[in-house]
Amino acid sequence: MPHAVIDITSQVCPMTWVRVKLKLESLDTGDTLEVLLKGDEPLRNLPRNAADDGHVVKSLDTLGDGTSKLVLEVRHG
Amino acid sequence: MALREDQILRYSRQILLREVGGRGQQKLLDAPVTVDGASDVLDVAAAYLAASGTPLFDRTTHGGFLAGTSLESFAPDAVAVTPAKGWLGSFATAPTIDVSLFRLAVSNGGLIGVPGGMPWPGELEGQGSSDSVTLGALAALVVQRFVLGLESSLVKVRNVDGRWQRE
């Protein structure tokens, strides 16, 4: 079970990453965050943005109906 | 203190920056800056600081937020962004940053201080900015980096034949 879940399927870039970034900041290193996203743009950008900020992409699964589930492990500093 | 929804929307492009993020934006919102004096450079610096969410205090008005026309035109609700209301009643102990350094620097042959490692103002000049805009933007940038706890060491630069260069 993830430590937190965030649904950004109603968000558009760049607010998708803003929402996820703020959520990641609220968690501790080692915690996992499950991100529900929709559309090609966040699917391309979010894993890269998270990795660029030092977080670990644990999994990325397509759920159908255009949504995907991204699981990140938090890394600070 | 968590950012409010309206603050997240307003400052989203700053929050996106790796050096800022949500915590950094909160620091910018919580750190009142004193603007002491009046000049074009300070007007520009104040406008940039206000637009980033930093509460401004004008020492010369003895008691109010800076509310000059240039500030209002850049950030009409800047004076309403005051999450750290407590500091109003204890100004003497509030953190203040004196940006008059930049006014003095301008009058002393164009020497100003910028954080080491910063991209240099050639990029700003490329936007057709006047010196006041360039220096004001840099003054705001230095203050913001200070508030964010980033590198605060300064390097000197000099205007040579219309081009700003590191000394």
Side-chain angles (χ1 to χ4, degrees):
Chain A
M1 287 289 290
H3 292 86
V5 178
I6 184 170
D7 183 345
I8 56 164
T9 53
S10 64
Q11 303 286 318
V12 295
C13 289
M15 289 308 295
T16 47
W17 176 233
V18 171
R19 302 290 182 190
V20 173
K21 185 180 176 77
L22 290 173
K23 194 68 177 178
L24 287 166
E25 285 186 17
S26 72
L27 298 171
D28 295 324
T29 291
D31 287 354
T32 50
L33 173 65
E34 182 178 297
V35 183
L36 297 174
L37 55 96
K38 191 170 191 175
D40 291 337
E41 199 167 356
L43 188 61
R44 286 196 307 270
N45 295 336
L46 285 184
R48 186 188 62 210
N49 290 338
D52 285 348
D53 267 14
H55 306 290
V56 179
V57 177
K58 301 294 286 185
S59 64
L60 176 59
D61 299 310
T62 302
L63 301 181
D65 68 6
T67 63
S68 300
K69 182 175 75 175
L70 171 68
V71 177
L72 301 171
E73 185 174 308
V74 180
R75 289 280 191 275
H76 293 306
Chain B
M1 181 191 301
L3 293 170
R4 299 192 312 263
E5 178 63 18
D6 62 303
Q7 292 172 329
I8 293 173
L9 294 174
R10 179 178 176 88
Y11 303 115
S12 60
R13 293 190 180 279
Q14 294 170 182
I15 294 169
L16 284 170
L17 298 174
R18 187 176 301 168
E19 296 86 350
V20 182
R23 291 172 183 166
Q25 183 58 52
Q26 192 66 60
K27 289 180 183 175
L28 292 174
L29 289 164
D30 286 346
V33 170
T34 298
V35 177
D36 193 356
S39 72
D40 289 346
V41 172
L42 286 178
D43 278 351
V44 172
Y48 273 100
L49 288 167
S52 74
T54 294
L56 297 178
F57 192 93
D58 184 357
R59 196 188 296 275
T60 61
T61 64
H62 300 293
F65 286 101
L66 185 68
T69 53
S70 62
L71 173 61
E72 289 172 344
S73 65
F74 272 88
D77 61 345
V79 293
V81 182
T82 56
K85 292 186 184 301
W87 74 272
L88 270 173
S90 57
F91 176 67
T93 59
T96 61
I97 299 168
D98 186 355
V99 297
S100 61
L101 161 68
F102 297 96
R103 180 187 48 184
L104 295 172
V106 170
S107 66
N108 284 330
L111 290 178
I112 64 169
V114 296
M118 292 296 301
W120 182 241
E123 295 178 14
L124 294 173
E125 286 183 328
Q127 298 172 5
S129 305
S130 68
D131 274 1
S132 291
V133 172
T134 302
L135 296 177
L138 279 163
L141 194 58
V142 170
V143 171
Q144 288 164 339
R145 288 179 65 86
F146 182 89
V147 170
L148 291 170
L150 300 173
E151 180 183 359
S152 58
S153 60
L154 301 179
V155 298
K156 286 184 176 181
V157 296
R158 182 181 295 279
N159 194 325
V160 179
D161 298 330
R163 298 286 302 176
W164 291 97
Q165 299 176 356
R166 291 178 187 275
E167 282 202 317

